Amino acid sequence: MSLDKATVIAALLHGLESELGAVERVAEMARDEATNSETKAEGKYDTRATEASYLARGQASRIAELRRLRAWYRQLDLTRLDSRSQVGLGSLVQLMGERAEWVFLAPSGGGKVDLNGQRVRVISLSSPLGSALAEQEAGDGVEVDTPRGLSEVEILQVL
């Protein structure tokens, strides 16, 4: 069963927007905690303010990463991507290994979406699977080094 790439991208972008909103809310709470007078150190071993500032800094970094990824999704040109037959950034790939699966290659991995009973995982080109798939075409088989050992997958479709 084939998936519509535009629908997959829209669903991934929607999930990313939701995650970004949640992370922004948590970051606001972390910033408030880091600057709250109640968090002020009460002694030389009291590190609550320092820990809260580390958390706020980490959340700010995650927000920046999610915003870059959102911008990348928004600028995707599906007409240009659909004309290519090799796996690359922006490809939606159907694989057959131990089981059939779909993957979408993005600048950073993580995340997934379920559409019409099909799960699509987001992977990066720097992941073991992503690097093995890079520049391959439908019909090609690739070997992937996984934590469970060497695994072989066949590329059924590249969209």
Side-chain angles (χ1 to χ4, degrees):
M1 177 178 172
S2 191
L3 292 174
D4 176 57
K5 189 173 187 177
T7 303
V8 170
I9 291 170
L12 290 171
L13 184 55
H14 177 74
L16 181 65
E17 294 280 0
S18 296
E19 181 181 358
L20 180 57
V23 172
E24 286 173 335
R25 286 187 295 280
V26 170
E28 182 64 32
M29 291 183 338
R31 269 192 307 276
D32 289 347
E33 180 69 20
T35 58
N36 190 320
S37 62
E38 297 287 321
T39 310
K40 185 178 177 194
E42 296 174 0
K44 68 179 186 177
Y45 298 112
D46 187 351
T47 60
R48 287 179 295 173
T50 302
E51 291 168 0
S53 70
Y54 287 158
L55 178 60
R57 191 174 317 140
Q59 293 296 337
S61 176
R62 180 69 179 143
I63 288 169
E65 178 185 332
L66 290 173
R67 286 179 178 164
R68 281 191 300 275
L69 189 56
R70 177 180 64 184
W72 180 81
Y73 274 108
R74 287 180 172 171
Q75 62 80 38
L76 279 175
D77 181 359
L78 291 179
T79 58
R80 184 181 61 81
L81 291 175
D82 286 342
S83 65
R84 110 182 143 193
S85 62
Q86 290 185 330
V87 176
L89 207 53
S91 293
L92 177 62
V93 184
Q94 184 181 28
L95 303 172
M96 177 56 80
E98 293 178 14
R99 64 190 189 309
E101 70 173 323
W102 287 90
V103 295
F104 181 78
L105 281 90
S108 60
K112 60 185 170 239
V113 66
D114 290 307
L115 294 168
N116 303 326
Q118 300 287 321
R119 175 169 286 169
V120 178
R121 288 188 306 136
V122 180
I123 64 171
S124 72
L125 282 172
S126 61
S127 70
L129 180 57
S131 61
L133 293 174
E135 299 182 10
Q136 301 297 318
E137 298 180 351
D140 290 346
V142 296
E143 289 185 341
V144 182
D145 192 13
T146 69
R148 292 177 290 168
L150 211 51
S151 177
E152 191 170 319
V153 295
E154 179 184 355
I155 300 171
L156 299 179
Q157 292 185 66
V158 178
L159 305 175

